[in-house]
Amino acid sequence: QKEVEQNSGPLSVPEGAIASLNCTYSDRGSQSFFWYRQYSGKSPELIMFIYSNGDKEDGRFTAQLNKASQYVSLLIRDSQPSDSATYLCAVLKNQGGKLIFGQGTELSVKP
Amino acid sequence: DTAVSQTPKYLVTQMGNDKSIKCEQNLGHDTMYWYKQDSKKFLKIMFSYNNKELIINETVPNRFSPKSPDKAHLNLHINSLELGDSAVYFCASSQGPGGLGINEQFFGPGTRLTVL
């Protein structure tokens, strides 16, 4: 079992819709969770992080964390073509800042 | 203005050569990292330094040797390059290695290494 799992996609949504990206992790002791966006040929860019159970909102983005289910998700409201990218879920292992990444979900927002 | 910078951006070399990639951050962070992203876009940590001290050393061939002359710089030297080393290498930095609120990592632009 991979430590962090995501559906690789591609996930295709129409412009203006809500995109829902999901991630599960295996280490129940994990405390910190991150969502990165990576455009093709570019570096990962941090868009959200969440530490506590529940929802955290930042503009059009909402991160959701359920530690009991070992599940973290990212919702993108009013999706735009510029949101088309690969979204990487990452979980922080307590030792030394080690981030474990999922394989990424490719999102395509169609005009 | 660049927060985390890497040089070179592209590196094309022959098998068996030795090469280095340099990374610098001007964020005042204490912790720096090297990641490898393979052809399937899977991103995996290789090394981490906190204030010039090695704190993460993943299962990486010993042909790869990181060096941190100061906390703003982390270089990666690769000896005897192999075809399988072809990948994009990303440097990253964070305020600290762990603990809530200080471990958000910021990535450099990447170095695309191609070994022929």
Side-chain angles (χ1 to χ4, degrees), chain A residues 31-32 34 36 38 40-46 49 51 88 92-103, chain B residues 33 35 37 40-43 45 48 55-56 58 90 97-110:
Chain A
Q31 295 292 319
S32 307
F34 303 84
Y36 284 83
Q38 187 174 24
S40 181
K42 301 295 185 183
S43 59
E45 172 193 8
L46 180 65
F49 58 87
Y51 305 129
L88 302 168
L92 184 72
K93 301 281 276 191
N94 286 333
Q95 60 269 31
K98 180 176 170 182
L99 265 186
I100 306 297
F101 282 84
Q103 69 269 39
Chain B
Y33 310 82
Y35 287 86
Q37 189 169 46
K40 295 182 179 177
K41 310 297 184 191
F42 186 62
L43 194 60
I45 190 164
S48 172
I55 56 172
I56 294 175
E58 288 295 284
F90 287 104
L100 299 184
I102 63 170
N103 47 35
E104 292 86 53
Q105 295 182 21
F106 298 89
F107 284 75

Side-chain angles (χ1 to χ4, degrees), chain A residues 36-46 88 99 101, chain B residues 1-10 21-27 29 31-37 43 72 74 88-94 104-112:
Chain A
Y36 284 83
R37 177 177 62 199
Q38 187 174 24
Y39 291 113
S40 181
K42 301 295 185 183
S43 59
E45 172 193 8
L46 180 65
L88 302 168
L99 265 186
F101 282 84
Chain B
D1 286 329
T2 305
V4 183
S5 59
Q6 294 178 229
T7 54
K9 190 171 174 63
Y10 299 96
I21 307 172
K22 295 186 176 182
C23 178
E24 176 180 2
Q25 54 94 5
N26 62 7
L27 297 167
H29 288 168
T31 310
M32 296 184 72
Y33 310 82
W34 277 112
Y35 287 86
K36 179 180 180 181
Q37 189 169 46
L43 194 60
L74 179 62
V88 180
Y89 292 84
F90 287 104
C91 176
S93 73
S94 66
E104 292 86 53
Q105 295 182 21
F106 298 89
F107 284 75
T111 296
R112 181 174 293 276

Side-chain angles (χ1 to χ4, degrees), chain A residues 2 8 25-26 42 65 75 79 93 106:
Chain A
K2 292 180 183 174
S8 58
Y25 59 95
S26 61
K42 301 295 185 183
L65 175 60
L75 300 178
S79 295
K93 301 281 276 191
E106 184 183 346

Side-chain angles (χ1 to χ4, degrees), chain A residues 10 13 38 40 48 51 53 57 59 64 66-67 69 82-83 88-89 95 107 109:
Chain A
V13 301
Q38 187 174 24
S40 181
M48 290 283 291
Y51 305 129
N53 270 332
E57 188 174 317
Q64 299 174 316
N66 184 327
K67 290 185 179 179
S69 300
S82 59
D83 295 326
L88 302 168
C89 172
Q95 60 269 31
L107 173 66
V109 181

Side-chain angles (χ1 to χ4, degrees), chain B residues 5-75:
Chain B
S5 59
Q6 294 178 229
T7 54
K9 190 171 174 63
Y10 299 96
L11 187 52
V12 181
T13 189
Q14 300 286 331
M15 274 175 47
N17 284 350
D18 303 339
K19 291 294 179 185
S20 292
I21 307 172
K22 295 186 176 182
C23 178
E24 176 180 2
Q25 54 94 5
N26 62 7
L27 297 167
H29 288 168
D30 284 342
T31 310
M32 296 184 72
Y33 310 82
W34 277 112
Y35 287 86
K36 179 180 180 181
Q37 189 169 46
D38 61 23
S39 56
K40 295 182 179 177
K41 310 297 184 191
F42 186 62
L43 194 60
K44 186 169 167 51
I45 190 164
M46 301 172 69
F47 302 103
S48 172
Y49 272 74
N50 183 55
N51 204 7
K52 301 193 297 177
E53 181 182 343
L54 181 66
I55 56 172
I56 294 175
N57 186 355
E58 288 295 284
T59 308
V60 175
N62 57 16
R63 298 182 295 103
F64 290 79
S65 53
K67 283 191 171 50
S68 182
D70 56 62
K71 72 175 190 177
H73 296 85
L74 179 62
N75 303 323

